[in-house]
Every structure is written in C-alpha cells, then in structure tokens.
C-alpha cells in the first residue's frame, strides 16, 4: 500500500496558535508578576510614609534643641530650683523649666505652636546626670552641672523619634 506523505506535515496535523495549556501558563506567569509589582508598590508607599513621619519627628525634636540652645542652664529668676516655671513656655528662662512638659501641637523654634501638626507632640525630660557617667540619672539637683535633655516625639499617640543631648552649666568665674 502506498501512503502519500505531504511536505511539512506532522502526526498531529498542521499546528497553528497556542494550546489551552500554554495560554493558562502564560496567564499564571503574568499574574504572579502583576501581584509582585503591586506588593512592591505597597511596600514602597509604606516606606515613604514612615520616612516622612521620621523626618517630621527629627525636625520637631530639633525645634526643642534650637530653643534650649538659647536658654541658660539655670534660670536667673530661680537659681536654686529645678522646678520653677514661669507662666507659659514663651517665658521659660532656664532648661529646668522645660522638664516634664509636653507640647501638642508642637512648638516651632520661636516657641509658637505649629497648628498644622495637631496630632503631633513633643515631650521633654531634663535629668541630672553624673559628669563621669551620663547614663546614670540622679535626683534633679541644680548644683550638679550636667543634665541630660531627652525629647520624645509622638504622632497620633505612637512613638516616632527620641533624641538626647547634654546641657552643661558654665564654669564658675
């Protein structure tokens, strides 16, 4: 028996296009890529929000630092007290007056409230520390010439940033 063969033929006949299995696999691959891209965008957005919040927190903490750089270690109106406070933060004349204060809305460097940040707060702690061990808090004592100032920044009630620095009394003449 003579079987006639056609050129370019295969046992399955002439194939054109994709099979259903190939199309399904391509759809799965593209779907996984799209989901991964969406997750990447969501993570990037969250990181951006966190970075913006941290930057704002650092700037608000720096506002308190800028204020306190211009304030003497001891209030000239109460040179023997760590608890004396003038009426209102704009009248504070020594670093000890800031101890225990929380400002919400936070203060700018001129000690004015920043009304555009209503959910932000700056909390200030001033503690006496030993000059040879600044990590050791002591009972507040105006005669100890070293204090650690700590500013904690919160946004909507949750912690954002904290920083500390040392304030030193000037050497006696």
């Amino acid at each position: 028996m003579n079987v006639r063969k056609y050129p370019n033929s295969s046992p399955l006949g002439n194939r054109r296009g994709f099979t259903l299995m190939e199309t399904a696999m391509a759809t799965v691959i593209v779907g996984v890529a799209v989901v991964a891209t969406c997750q990447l965008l969501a993570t990037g957005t969250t990181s951006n929000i966190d970075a913006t919040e941290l930057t704002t927190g650092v700037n608000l903490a720096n506002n308190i630092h800028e204020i306190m750089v211009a304030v003497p270690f001891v209030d000239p109106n109460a040179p023997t007290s760590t608890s004396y406070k003038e009426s209102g933060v704009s009248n504070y004349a020594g670093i000890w007056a800031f101890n225990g204060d929380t400002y919400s809305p936070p203060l700018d460097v001129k000690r004015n409230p920043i009304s555009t940040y209503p959910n932000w707060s700056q909390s200030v702690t001033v503690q006496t520390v030993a000059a040879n061990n600044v990590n050791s808090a002591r009972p507040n004592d105006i005669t100890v010439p070293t204090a650690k100032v700590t500013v904690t920044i919160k946004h909507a009630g949750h912690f954002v940033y904290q920083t500390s620095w040392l304030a030193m009394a000037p050497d006696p003449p």
Side-chain angles (χ1 to χ4, degrees), residues 85-93 97-98 101 103 107 111:
K85 290 183 185 256
E86 291 86 351
S87 60
V89 68
S90 59
N91 296 321
Y92 287 0
F98 290 88
D101 282 4
Y103 308 106
L107 302 177
R111 303 185 196 189

Side-chain angles (χ1 to χ4, degrees), residues 46-58:
T46 301
S47 293
N48 236 357
I49 290 168
D50 291 345
T52 300
E53 192 173 69
L54 181 59
T55 300
T56 301
V58 169

Side-chain angles (χ1 to χ4, degrees), residues 110-144:
K110 294 181 179 179
R111 303 185 196 189
N112 298 318
I114 306 171
S115 60
T116 54
Y117 293 113
N119 295 323
W120 290 84
S121 67
Q122 300 158 312
S123 298
V124 183
T125 304
V126 183
Q127 296 175 302
T128 298
V129 293
N132 59 353
N133 185 0
V134 295
N135 291 319
S136 175
R138 309 276 186 212
N140 284 347
D141 182 357
I142 205 76
T143 62
V144 177

Side-chain angles (χ1 to χ4, degrees), residues 23-49:
T23 304
M25 289 303 293
T27 302
V28 167
I29 291 169
V30 169
V32 168
V34 168
V35 168
T37 302
C38 288
Q39 287 179 337
L40 179 66
L41 289 173
T43 301
T45 300
T46 301
S47 293
N48 236 357
I49 290 168

Side-chain angles (χ1 to χ4, degrees), residues 6 10 14 16 71 102-103 109 113 115 147 159:
Y6 295 102
S10 69
N14 288 337
R16 293 179 187 208
V71 176
T102 297
Y103 308 106
V109 295
S115 60
F159 174 84

